[in-house]
């Protein structure tokens, strides 16, 4: 692993205290060119994590706070009539940025949520029949409050599927929390953070990720995971082929973070929960284990009798 | 009443089909209303199945059962015996559908179905019947498969497919058991169709009876010659000899106890009588060796060319060159015969034989008697006398016809001088009478003549319509000589067969226009084919009895004893079952595991064997962590193994044989470390 990458990891971890695992997953998600969904209670550092990531990778950063009265134009932009030139100009919305923090995405209506769809998948925006590319790289880091809280609209499955990973932060460990309380404002710390990598470096790194070797045995393992999720009867519907591709991409990124040029089953297992859990809806009365843990324990790493 | 049965709905189709199909053959032999009961019960059950009707109450079911049993008793006069018993079974089988509540009842129906199906063979044993039973077997099996499937997720189409596959898979074993298992004689004798009369030659003959028989197309027997078959004109299949005449009817004579001890000999039983030894010494070429497969005739007489020698078990020979079997022929019977047509027959006649073959009732046929005496005194020899009669029959306006007029008291007189229209029995009877009237010993011989060759099976087919009667006379110095008066009247009967003879005589056969249809090439070919199939079926399947089995086993095993038969059976089972089992196992495991995959499972097995709880989803590195908690030194060895494993299996450079061996060695190190603890 390049020195810069290791340094950027520790920089982020220095701001978001006690969350090495989640930080690593978030970086892997970016390396895999995937969008990230952070689900947790308000005030555990979701926004800080997103902001820190943007700083470390020197990404242009835009933030949209989603509310229930928001319209798609508030995100994508709007055509404005220019009386001087007698023509319409596009006034670009906040989405035209490298890293978009979509805060509390489930507070807005499905209509506005779906405005993000094309942007996330195609990395382009179509307004008034004109298609405009988004900057490269382009990431969406969305945060959402637990669906059980009041005033939330659950994200549709189609949109959930477009996030490569969903992670949750959780409360920090006691000593970390003490350290956090003793230290200054985290947001300030994030803002003061120097950029370690340039956006071009990120693009280069994600190209390297795509070259990581995946053996036939590993593809077989991933395929059996998909098959099991469809056949086991624990989930309403199984994993899609897109989920499988995402799983492989995330596992490759994880291998890069581990300094390897080939993927091993542990890489798959490390990203399995974050990649799969938001795509699988357990059937009523199913297992108490998380979806990721279930798949991990039930599917043999190596094909056998 | 609540619907409590738990028979899956998708099994119903096959259940009902199985009941109808298994019962169908018995409708032919049993009372006709059995068919109505069968269809009615199935229809009723179907309506219940569709929710249109309710299950009948107990009282209704009891009433139906009573009516059915009563009907069977009324029809047969008994409830016992195979035919009545089977009909009773089929009736109960049909009614069982109406009390099909639980799975248990469905099992009863299916087991009954198999049994009813097996009883089909009581009446029908042909190739077609066997094919039918095989098809129905698949249907019954499909029903059995169906009721063993859960209510949801079973499809009727899959049941029959699986049943077919199962039947096909069982076929090799069936053949093996058929070939090797000993044939056990039935524990009780089953007179399957005691009531059914058989067409065929009888123990006596009156004018008009053989011509009646000639209207039947039914098969009498089939013959396969080992070498050349004799020409058609020479194919006189002797069956019975009639010596006693009462003026109208010819009967077989003297079948009493003295005949049984003196004039009958079963080769291989006791010492041969003098006459038979004499025959044996006089045997002369040419010979014809052939196998006869005879349809059930319910009589003991067998048909053969003169002079027959047979070594088939239970086949005896009588002094008048008849072959007969100890028991009545109540199912298809095969026997081998070697015939010596040219050998001399009985130069000397005993006084008793002479008397028997000269017997005539007094006071019958005076005109014929007078004519005979006059002609004999005109003729120089017996031979010349007989020739004169035959010439006369050919010259005068005698007709060969299937519709002879009725005759009164003096049958021979009326025939020879008044009607002059007759079938072979009239001519044979008249000639015998004329010979006996002048003290020439003579007898009527009844049997078949000719037979149609089937080019497909290379065998002769002799039918009832080939029935024939002719005369044998004893001449001094020559013994018994055959004379066929029919040949004098209608030579084409002998040369070409009945149809041609009747055509030439200007009278149509029994079937009229339809007769000519038989001659269409396509129908002719189909007739040959069905005849051939049936013949082959008998030859290869039904005819495979204990004797044939021993012969085959002797060919294979040398000596036949229980140990060898057991070994052969076991070897056959292994040869059949092993490839099947291997094939099924391979199907399960496909595609096969690679060396690396097996290596991983061996390691998991090793750790599990050491008492570690490892779920199948564990990755190589996790293994190390788990072991480290219990046994650090083993964990170190395991670390080496798992690092190498990862690199070889998942890395960009796949491992070679040397790497495999290294990995195996590392696993052994882990094992030693684990055991050392």
């Amino acid at each position: 692993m390049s020195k810069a990458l290791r340094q950027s990891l520790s920089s982020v971890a220095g701001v978001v205290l006690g969350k090495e695992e989640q930080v690593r997953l978030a970086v892997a998600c970016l390396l895999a060119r995937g969008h990230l969904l952070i689900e947790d209670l308000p005030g555990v550092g979701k926004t800080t994590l997103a902001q820190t990531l943007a700083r470390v990778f020197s990404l242009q950063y835009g933030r949209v706070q989603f509310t229930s009265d928001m319209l798609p134009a508030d995100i994508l932009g709007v055509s404005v009539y220019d009386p001087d030139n007698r023509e319409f100009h596009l006034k670009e919305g906040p989405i035209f940025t490298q890293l978009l923090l979509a805060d509390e995405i489930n507070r807005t209506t499905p209509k506005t949520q779906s405005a993000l769809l094309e942007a996330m998948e195609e990395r382009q925006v179509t307004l008034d029949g004109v298609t405009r590319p988004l900057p490269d790289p382009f990431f969406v880091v969305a945060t959402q409050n637990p669906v059980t809280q009041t005033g939330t609209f659950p994200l549709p499955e189609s949109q959930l599927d477009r996030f490569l990973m969903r992670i949750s932060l959780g409360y920090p460990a006691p000593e970390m929390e003490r350290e956090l309380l003793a230290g200054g404002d985290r947001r300030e710390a994030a803002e003061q953070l120097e950029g370690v990598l340039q956006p071009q470096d990120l693009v280069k790194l994600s190209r390297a990720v795509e070259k990581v070797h995946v053996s036939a045995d590993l593809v077989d393992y991933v395929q059996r995971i998909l098959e099991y999720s469809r056949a086991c009867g624990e989930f309403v519907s199984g994993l899609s082929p897109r989920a499988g591709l995402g799983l492989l991409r995330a596992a490759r990124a994880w291998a890069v973070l581990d300094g390897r040029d080939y993927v091993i089953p542990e890489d798959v297992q490390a990203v399995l929960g974050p990649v799969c859990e938001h795509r699988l809806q357990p059937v009523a009365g199913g297992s108490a284990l998380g979806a990721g843990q279930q798949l991990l324990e039930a599917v043999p790493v190596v094909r056998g009798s | 009443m609540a619907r409590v049965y738990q028979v899956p709905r998708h099994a119903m189709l096959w259940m009902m089909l199985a009941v109808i199909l298994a019962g169908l053959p018995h409708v032919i032999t049993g009372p006709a209303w059995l068919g109505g009961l069968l269809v009615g019960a199935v229809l009723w059950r179907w309506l219940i199945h569709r929710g249109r009707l309710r299950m009948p109450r107990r009282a209704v079911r009891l009433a139906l059962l009573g009516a059915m049993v009563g009907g069977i008793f009324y029809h047969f006069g008994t409830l016992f015996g195979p035919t009545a018993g089977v009909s009773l079974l089929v009736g109960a089988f049909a009614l069982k559908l109406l009390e099909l509540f639980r799975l248990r009842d469905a099992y009863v129906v299916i087991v009954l179905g198999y049994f009813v199906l097996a009883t089909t063979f009581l009446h029908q044993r042909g190739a077609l019947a066997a094919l039918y039973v095989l098809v129905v077997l698949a249907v019954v099996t499909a029903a059995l498969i169906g009721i063993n499937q859960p209510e949801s997720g079973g499809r009727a189409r899959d049941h029959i497919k699986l049943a077919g596959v199962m039947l096909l898979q069982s076929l090799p074993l069936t053949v093996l058991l058929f070939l090797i298992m000993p044939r056990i004689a039935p524990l009780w004798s089953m007179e399957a169709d005691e009531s059914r009369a058989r067409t065929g030659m009888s123990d006596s003959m009156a004018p008009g009876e053989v011509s009646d028989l000639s209207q039947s197309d039914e098969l009498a027997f089939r013959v396969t010659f080992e070498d050349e078959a004799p020409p058609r004109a020479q194919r006189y299949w002797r069956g019975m000899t009639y010596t006693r005449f009462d003026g109208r009817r010819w009967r077989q004579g003297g079948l009493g106890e003295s005949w049984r001890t003196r004039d009958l000999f079963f080769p291989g039983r006791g010492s041969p009588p003098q006459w038979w030894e004499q025959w044996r010494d006089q045997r002369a070429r040419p010979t014809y060796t052939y196998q006869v497969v005879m349809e059930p005739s319910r009589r003991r007489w067998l048909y053969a060319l003169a002079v027959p020698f047979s070594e088939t078990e239970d086949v005896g020979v009588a002094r008048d060159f008849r072959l007969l079997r100890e028991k009545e022929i109540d199912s298809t019977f095969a026997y081998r015969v070697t015939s010596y047509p040219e050998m001399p027959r009985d130069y000397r006649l005993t006084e008793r034989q002479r008397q028997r073959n000269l017997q005539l009732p007094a006071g019958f046929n005076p005109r014929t008697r007078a004519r005979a005496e006059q002609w004999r005194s005109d003729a120089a020899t017996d031979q010349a006398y007989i020739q004169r009669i035959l010439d006369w029959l050919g010259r005068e306006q005698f007709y060969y016809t299937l519709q002879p007029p009725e005759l009164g008291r003096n049958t021979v007189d009326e025939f020879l001088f008044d009607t002059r229209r007759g079938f072979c029995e009239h001519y044979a009877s008249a000639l015998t009478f004329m010979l006996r009237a002048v003290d020439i010993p003579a007898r009527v011989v009844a049997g078949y003549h000719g037979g149609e060759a089937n080019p497909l099976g290379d065998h002769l087919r002799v039918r009832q319509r080939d029935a024939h009667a002719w005369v044998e006379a004893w001449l001094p110095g020559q013994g018994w000589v055959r004379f066929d008066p029919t040949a004098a009247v209608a030579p084409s009967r002998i040369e070409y067969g009945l149809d041609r003879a009747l055509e030439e005589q200007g009278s149509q056969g029994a079937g009229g226009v339809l007769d000519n249809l038989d001659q269409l090439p396509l129908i002719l070919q189909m007739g040959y084919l069905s005849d051939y199939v049936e013949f082959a079926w008998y030859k290869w399947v039904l005819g495979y009895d204990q004797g044939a089995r021993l012969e085959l086993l002797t060919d294979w095993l040398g000596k036949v004893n229980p140990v060898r038969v057991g070994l052969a059976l076991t070897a056959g089972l292994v040869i059949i079952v092993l490839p099947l089992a291997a094939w099924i196992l391979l199907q399960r495991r496909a595609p096969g595991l690679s060396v690396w995959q097996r290596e991983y499972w061996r390691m998991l097995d090793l750790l599990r064997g050491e008492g570690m709880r490892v779920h199948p989803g564990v990755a190589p590195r996790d293994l190390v962590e788990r072991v480290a908690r219990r046994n650090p030194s083993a964990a170190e060895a395991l670390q080496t193994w798992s690092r190498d494993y990862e690199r070889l299996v998942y890395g960009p450079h796949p491992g070679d044989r040397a790497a495999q061996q290294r990995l195996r060695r590392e696993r052994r190190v882990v094992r030693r470390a684990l055991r050392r603890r």
Side-chain angles (χ1 to χ4, degrees):
Chain A
M1 183 175 52
S2 70
K3 205 171 125 198
L5 202 51
R6 205 177 311 141
Q7 198 184 338
S8 53
L9 267 180
S10 56
S11 303
V12 180
V15 178
V16 186
L17 292 173
K19 295 286 165 204
E20 278 89 359
E21 173 85 9
Q22 283 85 343
V23 167
R24 213 176 160 93
L25 281 169
V27 171
C29 187
L30 295 194
L31 286 183
R33 297 167 69 85
H35 307 292
L36 181 67
L37 180 64
I38 309 174
E39 179 181 271
D40 221 319
L41 296 165
V44 289
K46 297 189 295 266
T47 315
T48 314
L49 176 60
Q51 220 171 345
T52 318
L53 285 174
R55 298 290 305 177
V56 164
F57 292 106
S58 319
L59 292 171
Q60 189 190 345
Y61 172 76
R63 175 180 169 165
V64 184
Q65 177 69 43
F66 280 60
T67 57
S68 56
D69 57 353
M70 212 164 174
L71 293 173
D74 295 330
I75 304 170
L76 305 179
V78 65
S79 292
V80 180
Y81 185 67
D82 180 2
D84 298 337
N85 298 330
R86 299 194 164 189
E87 58 185 24
F88 283 95
H89 277 297
L90 180 74
K91 188 169 181 298
E92 289 183 345
I95 197 164
F96 288 87
T97 183
Q98 282 175 320
L99 192 147
L100 175 73
L101 175 63
D103 223 355
E104 300 189 308
I105 189 172
N106 60 342
R107 287 224 179 270
T108 191
T109 54
K111 182 181 179 182
T112 312
Q113 283 171 4
S114 63
L116 271 174
L117 277 180
E118 188 195 2
M120 286 171 71
E121 187 62 20
E122 313 291 333
R123 291 167 201 275
Q124 64 188 25
V125 168
T126 305
L127 270 175
D128 296 339
V130 184
T131 301
R132 291 157 183 277
L134 291 172
D136 189 37
F138 171 75
F139 300 103
V140 174
V141 176
T143 72
Q144 74 171 346
N145 301 326
V147 183
T148 46
Q149 288 207 334
T150 50
T152 57
F153 297 91
L155 285 176
E157 277 90 354
S158 58
Q159 188 148 7
L160 278 177
D161 200 31
R162 280 168 168 80
F163 287 102
L164 179 61
M165 289 187 196
R166 182 189 68 180
I167 58 175
S168 56
L169 293 171
Y171 297 118
E175 63 268 35
M176 287 300 165
E177 192 160 24
R178 273 194 291 277
E179 198 178 320
L180 188 140
L181 294 172
D185 184 12
R186 291 292 115 190
R187 294 271 173 96
E188 237 167 71
E191 269 160 32
Q192 284 160 10
L193 208 62
E194 288 289 314
V196 182
L197 282 168
Q198 292 306 304
Q200 310 90 278
D201 299 332
L202 200 57
V203 172
K204 234 183 274 168
L205 273 172
S206 58
R207 290 221 180 98
V209 163
E210 277 160 26
K211 289 203 188 90
V212 168
H213 175 77
V214 170
S215 72
D217 276 303
L218 194 103
V219 170
D220 183 60
Y221 176 48
V222 170
Q223 196 275 329
R224 279 181 293 115
I225 290 176
L226 302 183
E227 198 172 282
Y228 179 82
S229 75
R230 293 162 198 159
C232 67
E234 293 278 345
F235 311 112
V236 174
S237 56
L239 291 170
S240 64
R242 172 155 55 193
L245 286 170
L247 188 57
L248 267 183
R249 224 158 10 114
R252 278 181 161 122
W254 193 266
V256 166
L257 289 182
D258 214 21
R260 249 180 299 106
D261 60 351
Y262 56 89
V263 181
I264 60 172
E266 279 85 345
D267 300 327
V268 177
Q269 294 186 346
V271 297
L272 189 60
V275 172
C276 297
E277 274 173 7
H278 63 290
R279 302 173 205 256
L280 289 173
Q281 190 191 340
V283 293
S287 167
L289 284 177
Q293 193 62 26
Q294 271 185 56
L295 294 176
L296 194 146
E297 287 188 6
V299 183
V301 167
V302 169
R303 177 182 284 272
S305 44
Chain B
M1 188 169 152
R3 306 207 325 168
V4 286
Y5 66 89
Q6 285 133 26
V7 183
R9 295 177 72 84
H10 51 73
M12 266 305 173
L13 171 70
W14 298 121
M15 289 276 280
M16 293 178 194
L17 215 57
V19 171
I20 288 197
L21 292 180
L24 211 55
H26 301 286
V27 174
I28 301 168
T29 48
W33 52 263
L34 208 56
L37 178 73
L38 206 62
V39 172
V42 169
L43 206 65
W44 193 338
R45 179 66 229 192
W46 180 252
L47 289 176
I48 295 168
H49 178 63
R50 299 296 302 267
R52 296 290 181 82
L53 283 179
R54 288 159 151 265
M55 288 299 264
R57 292 160 171 283
R58 198 183 181 76
V60 176
R61 299 202 305 266
L62 275 175
L64 276 171
L65 183 69
M68 189 271 292
V69 174
I72 299 279
F73 189 79
Y74 177 75
H75 188 268
F76 291 100
T78 174
L79 292 180
F80 303 103
T83 315
V86 167
S87 293
L88 196 64
L89 186 69
V90 172
F93 178 50
L95 289 181
K96 183 74 195 167
L97 272 185
L98 296 181
E99 53 167 15
L100 194 68
F101 296 110
R102 274 166 248 267
L103 212 54
R104 201 189 54 197
D105 301 321
Y107 275 110
V108 171
V109 169
I110 284 166
V111 170
L112 265 181
Y114 281 119
F115 190 74
V116 167
L117 202 55
T119 57
T120 307
F121 290 128
L122 281 180
H123 300 294
Q124 324 270 344
R125 269 165 236 163
L128 265 182
L131 193 69
Y132 179 81
V133 166
L134 207 63
V135 169
V136 182
L137 205 57
V139 174
V140 179
T141 309
L144 181 61
I145 292 167
I147 64 172
N148 279 292
Q149 303 273 332
E151 175 69 55
S152 63
R155 280 195 312 168
R157 199 155 25 113
D158 296 341
H159 303 338
I160 191 78
K161 241 193 257 166
L162 184 57
V165 169
M166 282 165 74
L167 274 191
L168 283 182
Q169 281 173 342
S170 68
L171 226 48
L173 269 186
T174 312
V175 171
L176 180 77
L177 292 176
F178 177 77
L179 288 180
I180 293 187
M181 284 300 279
R183 294 292 183 282
I184 301 162
L187 296 176
W188 61 91
S189 86
M190 279 258 208
E191 289 296 321
D193 31 15
E194 58 285 299
S195 57
R196 264 176 91 192
R198 289 272 169 188
T199 49
M201 287 288 188
S202 71
D203 282 343
S204 64
M205 180 189 86
E209 283 182 1
V210 180
S211 47
D212 280 351
L213 197 56
S214 284
Q215 320 240 356
S216 163
D217 261 342
E218 235 173 88
L219 186 73
F221 54 90
R222 296 187 179 94
V223 189
T224 337
F225 282 93
E226 219 149 75
D227 304 305
E228 198 109 327
R232 183 185 177 92
Q234 297 297 315
R235 295 202 291 255
Y236 282 89
W237 302 101
R238 298 175 85 257
M240 279 151 276
T241 57
Y242 301 130
T243 50
R244 265 168 47 198
F245 186 49
D246 62 3
R248 174 169 195 86
R249 187 169 279 277
W250 288 90
R251 289 177 205 283
Q252 304 219 76
L255 300 181
E257 194 51 42
S258 64
W259 171 78
R260 181 164 271 283
T261 49
R262 246 182 323 197
D263 292 343
L264 183 62
F265 172 60
F266 285 91
R269 285 192 212 165
S271 55
Q274 209 189 340
W275 54 266
W276 193 81
E277 282 186 326
Q278 214 171 351
W279 285 13
R280 198 181 51 196
D281 298 339
Q282 289 173 343
R283 289 194 288 202
R285 300 196 153 271
T287 63
Y288 295 110
T289 302
Y290 47 94
Q291 190 191 33
V292 180
V293 177
M294 201 173 147
E295 293 295 293
S297 64
R298 310 208 57 76
R299 311 206 177 273
R300 300 167 56 198
W301 318 112
L302 305 177
Y303 296 92
L305 304 171
V307 171
F309 286 81
S310 173
E311 284 175 5
T312 306
E313 218 178 314
D314 283 349
V315 172
V317 60
R319 196 164 177 183
D320 49 5
F321 317 111
R322 274 177 296 175
L323 280 185
L324 71 162
R325 191 183 175 211
E326 187 104 273
K327 292 176 293 181
E328 283 186 356
I329 295 146
D330 47 15
S331 64
T332 316
F333 177 67
Y335 53 97
R336 286 177 65 81
V337 184
T338 305
S339 289
Y340 299 80
E342 303 281 303
M343 70 177 262
R345 313 185 205 164
D346 272 359
Y347 284 132
R348 274 192 300 275
L349 206 60
T350 61
E351 191 48 36
R352 197 168 47 84
Q353 278 177 306
R354 169 180 287 276
Q355 288 308 321
R356 184 177 290 163
N357 286 301
L358 285 175
Q359 172 265 336
L360 280 182
F364 281 92
N365 305 317
R367 279 191 282 172
T368 312
R369 218 178 257 272
R371 167 68 59 91
E373 276 158 12
Q374 187 201 335
W375 280 7
R376 180 62 188 91
S377 57
D378 290 352
T381 61
D382 287 346
Q383 205 99 44
Y385 165 67
I386 296 171
Q387 198 53 49
R388 180 165 182 191
I389 302 172
L390 293 178
D391 288 346
W392 177 63
L393 288 174
R395 206 177 49 239
E396 292 289 320
Q397 289 291 307
F398 280 99
Y399 289 98
Y400 183 64
T401 173
L402 271 175
Q403 288 103 19
E406 294 274 323
L407 299 173
R409 180 172 184 272
N410 291 313
T411 50
V412 180
D413 271 5
E414 287 171 34
F415 167 62
L416 282 182
F417 298 109
D418 304 334
T419 66
R420 294 197 165 181
R421 305 170 78 83
F423 202 60
C424 53
E425 71 265 33
H426 298 82
Y427 295 98
S429 169
L431 180 60
T432 311
F433 187 91
M434 289 187 78
L435 294 178
R436 286 188 174 188
V438 295
D439 282 349
I440 302 172
R443 62 195 178 199
V444 175
V445 183
Y448 297 88
H449 178 267
E452 186 188 3
N454 184 336
L456 287 175
D458 206 18
H459 63 265
L460 278 183
R461 183 158 56 140
V462 179
R463 291 182 288 185
Q464 297 298 350
R465 61 199 319 244
D466 297 318
H468 193 46
W470 59 96
V471 179
E472 278 177 356
W474 189 85
L475 301 175
Q478 290 186 43
W480 288 102
V481 180
R482 183 181 68 220
F483 293 99
D484 190 350
T486 311
V489 178
S492 50
R493 165 69 178 88
I494 305 307
E495 291 294 331
Y496 303 109
L498 181 61
D499 293 331
R500 180 80 168 264
L502 291 174
E503 213 170 281
E504 285 181 4
Q505 297 277 329
S507 74
Q508 279 283 349
V513 184
L514 280 179
D515 255 11
N516 299 330
L517 268 183
D518 290 354
Q519 302 306 317
L520 288 179
L522 181 71
I523 292 179
L524 204 63
Q525 280 299 318
M526 271 164 54
Y528 284 149
L529 185 68
S530 79
D531 176 61
Y532 172 62
V533 166
E534 216 163 286
F535 183 55
W537 178 252
Y538 179 81
K539 215 163 139 191
W540 298 111
V541 181
L542 293 182
Y544 187 77
D545 53 9
Q546 183 70 357
R549 172 183 162 264
L550 285 177
E551 206 172 295
L552 182 81
L553 289 186
T554 313
D555 271 7
W556 285 0
L557 307 175
K559 227 174 86 199
V560 179
N561 58 31
V563 177
R564 288 196 178 193
V565 171
L567 280 178
L569 196 59
T570 316
L573 282 177
V574 167
I575 288 170
I576 290 170
V577 171
L578 263 193
L580 213 62
W583 185 69
I584 289 169
L585 280 181
L586 281 180
Q587 286 285 99
R588 284 251 167 93
R589 280 186 34 161
L593 298 184
S594 70
V595 187
W596 308 103
Q597 288 162 344
R598 280 204 292 273
E599 173 71 28
Y600 192 80
W601 285 99
R602 289 210 182 104
M603 179 55 95
L604 282 195
D605 286 346
L606 170 65
L607 295 178
R608 281 180 183 152
E610 292 299 316
M612 232 153 289
R613 291 183 55 195
V614 187
H615 61 76
V618 75
R621 284 188 190 187
D622 291 346
L623 289 177
V624 181
E625 273 174 41
R626 277 156 200 260
V627 173
R629 273 180 245 141
R630 293 174 53 166
N631 188 333
S633 67
E636 213 167 292
L638 187 57
Q639 171 115 46
T640 318
W641 177 87
S642 78
R643 199 188 52 224
D644 282 346
Y645 186 86
E646 264 174 27
R647 194 166 45 75
L648 292 169
V649 175
Y650 299 107
H653 310 293
D656 53 9
R657 264 192 80 78
Q660 283 170 27
Q661 277 159 12
R662 197 174 69 227
L663 210 56
R664 204 170 303 152
R665 277 198 300 276
E666 285 167 1
R667 192 177 76 234
R668 286 199 202 108
V669 175
V670 174
R671 187 171 61 202
R672 275 199 296 277
L674 280 169
R675 303 238 162 115
R676 205 180 299 129
R677 174 173 58 99

